Amino acid sequence: MKRWLFAALVAACKASPAPPPPPPAPDPPPVVAKETPPPAAKPERGPLGDLEVQEVAETGRQPKGVFVSHDGKRIYTTNFGELQKKRTVSVFDADTLALVEDLDIPAETVEAAISPDDKTLYVSSFWTHSVMFFDLATKTVTHDVKVGAHPKVLALAKDGKTLYAANWSGDSVTEIDVARAAVTRTLPTGKSPRGLVVSSKGIVYAAAFYADVVEVFESDHHHRIKVCKCPRHLALSPDEKTLYVSCLFASQLHAIDLATETLVHKVAIGTSPKSIAVGADGRYVYSADYGATRSVSVVDTHDWTSKVFTVPGMDRGSGVAVAADGEHAFVTGWYDAHVYKVGFAGGGGHPDEAKKRISAWIHKPFSADPGDEKKVEAAVDPAPAPVSSE
């Protein structure tokens, strides 16, 4: 019986073929990586547009200079008129101009520079003839280095190791070793050096105001570039190929080709330009105009056009610095004691609110300046066309 059943099962198996194997699972659909859209391209900037005040804040008295921290988040004003009292330097948020803090540095602060790590502030102290090192964390002066008489503009080497001070009454530039807080050299200049920049190669350029020259110090070599009458301030293009000079009496910005040390452009700007600064991308050069236009000027280096913007309420432009985006400038009003953030119309900020704030002092009479008549008499260049080159 069992044999019969086994045989029957075998026969049944032979008679009924095995079912086909199941079809293979379909291949999974190919994984398509999501395309990340490229960042929106920054629109190509066209001709110079209208300018407006987008933020404004009160500073200490007579804010001589203004500069931006290396991270672009803070601006500092040096309040010369406070004369060793409180609030000799004011710190603001670079976006909103909200006051961050006032620093009580015992100096007649003319100008300042900041270390590459944004931790140390270097301040020129006019009446003590020194440069003070100020620790921003501890709020203390760590060094007080004696330099020449009445130091004004400071310039820090790119690596932060060497600091230079232009000594207005000392007719010299002092070189300071930052690590040792010690003077290493004194470089003689023409009368009353003011504007000062240093290249990444360590070449020092100093504008001797009453000598009408730019002094050039390269290692142990020294020579001069003849420039306009009373060069006030200097700025170096980011590629270090062009040196910009503010010509106080001519009311012009001059551009010097450093390869040939020749004047290649001169552009009309506001009257009596005091300080100048260039953006990180090199496109725009801004000036704070101390004269009757009471303005900030901007020069487009792509086509050498310029625009002069009378800053409402500002009484004598003094210091100027450029925001990280290159399209906003901070300018200080010497007599009205404010800092203004100026940008192209529609470029952000709170222009309506700024206008309302300015209305509180815009009707005050402007201050006369003892040098106004002398500037008119000493101007040797007739008003140039907005764009000219040589």
Side-chain angles (χ1 to χ4, degrees):
M1 181 67 181
K2 290 180 180 180
R3 288 181 179 179
W4 177 83
L5 181 58
F6 177 76
L9 289 172
V10 171
C13 289
K14 289 181 179 180
S16 302
D27 293 332
V31 177
V32 179
K34 291 185 178 181
E35 293 187 6
T36 302
K42 196 172 184 179
E44 180 65 25
R45 290 174 286 192
L48 289 174
D50 293 332
L51 296 168
E52 64 183 2
V53 177
Q54 295 170 348
E55 307 287 355
V56 63
E58 184 181 0
T59 66
R61 288 175 294 181
Q62 294 180 324
K64 170 63 183 70
V66 59
F67 66 97
V68 184
S69 61
H70 292 287
D71 64 10
K73 296 179 180 179
R74 297 283 186 265
I75 70 162
Y76 297 76
T77 63
T78 48
N79 307 321
F80 178 77
E82 295 299 331
L83 298 176
Q84 290 194 0
K85 298 178 182 177
K86 294 184 179 298
R87 204 182 187 188
T88 48
V89 172
S90 296
V91 188
F92 301 90
D93 181 276
D95 288 332
T96 64
L97 287 192
L99 180 66
V100 175
E101 61 181 336
D102 287 319
L103 304 176
D104 302 333
I105 303 175
E108 307 85 13
T109 53
V110 186
E111 298 280 357
I114 195 166
S115 61
D117 59 8
D118 287 329
K119 292 181 178 180
T120 303
L121 193 65
Y122 308 104
V123 174
S124 55
S125 182
F126 192 72
W127 293 111
T128 62
H129 315 299
S130 66
V131 173
M132 295 185 183
F133 291 28
F134 187 80
D135 188 303
L136 289 168
T138 62
K139 305 295 188 293
T140 57
V141 175
T142 57
H143 302 284
D144 188 7
V145 182
K146 294 297 180 182
V147 292
H150 301 134
K152 289 197 173 186
V153 176
L154 301 179
L156 186 66
K158 303 290 184 183
D159 60 9
K161 295 179 180 179
T162 311
L163 180 66
Y164 297 89
N167 305 311
W168 175 255
S169 300
D171 299 339
S172 63
V173 170
T174 299
E175 181 183 87
I176 301 170
D177 182 304
V178 172
R180 297 188 296 117
V183 173
T184 52
R185 285 195 301 170
T186 299
L187 308 172
T189 68
K191 187 168 177 55
S192 301
R194 193 185 200 104
L196 186 67
V197 293
V198 57
S199 75
S200 59
K201 294 181 180 179
I203 304 173
V204 178
Y205 300 91
F209 187 74
Y210 289 116
D212 305 336
V213 297
V214 170
E215 311 278 5
V216 183
F217 299 94
E218 184 174 3
S219 187
D220 294 330
H221 302 285
H222 167 233
H223 66 277
R224 291 176 163 181
I225 305 172
K226 182 69 177 175
V227 292
C228 56
K229 185 174 181 61
C230 295
R232 177 89 180 196
H233 216 240
L234 301 177
L236 195 59
S237 65
D239 62 9
E240 301 189 352
K241 293 181 179 180
T242 306
L243 181 69
Y244 299 106
V245 184
S246 62
C247 300
L248 186 75
F249 289 132
S251 297
Q252 296 173 349
L253 177 78
H254 285 192
I256 297 173
D257 176 9
L258 288 177
T260 61
E261 295 189 344
T262 57
L263 175 67
V264 290
H265 296 283
K266 57 181 179 180
V267 185
I269 52 179
T271 55
S272 304
K274 201 171 186 181
S275 304
I276 55 175
V278 61
D281 64 358
R283 174 73 182 267
Y284 299 125
V285 183
Y286 297 84
S287 71
D289 307 322
Y290 190 78
T293 55
R294 295 175 171 84
S295 54
V296 59
S297 299
V298 56
V299 174
D300 188 338
T301 63
H302 280 199
D303 57 13
W304 300 102
T305 56
S306 64
K307 184 174 286 289
V308 179
F309 171 61
T310 296
V311 180
M314 186 179 75
D315 193 357
R316 307 281 180 177
S318 183
V320 69
V322 185
D325 63 5
E327 299 189 6
H328 295 83
F330 305 99
V331 59
T332 57
W334 177 251
Y335 287 116
D336 64 278
H338 288 87
V339 59
Y340 303 79
K341 184 176 185 179
V342 175
F344 295 105
H350 302 87
D352 292 336
E353 183 178 333
K355 190 179 297 184
K356 289 179 182 177
R357 294 194 62 194
I358 293 170
S359 67
W361 66 87
I362 193 172
H363 298 295
K364 292 182 179 180
F366 287 129
S367 303
D369 189 85
D372 283 344
E373 292 183 5
K374 293 181 180 179
K375 289 169 190 171
V376 172
E377 293 171 0
V380 294
D381 289 346
V387 182
S388 62
S389 59
E390 295 181 4

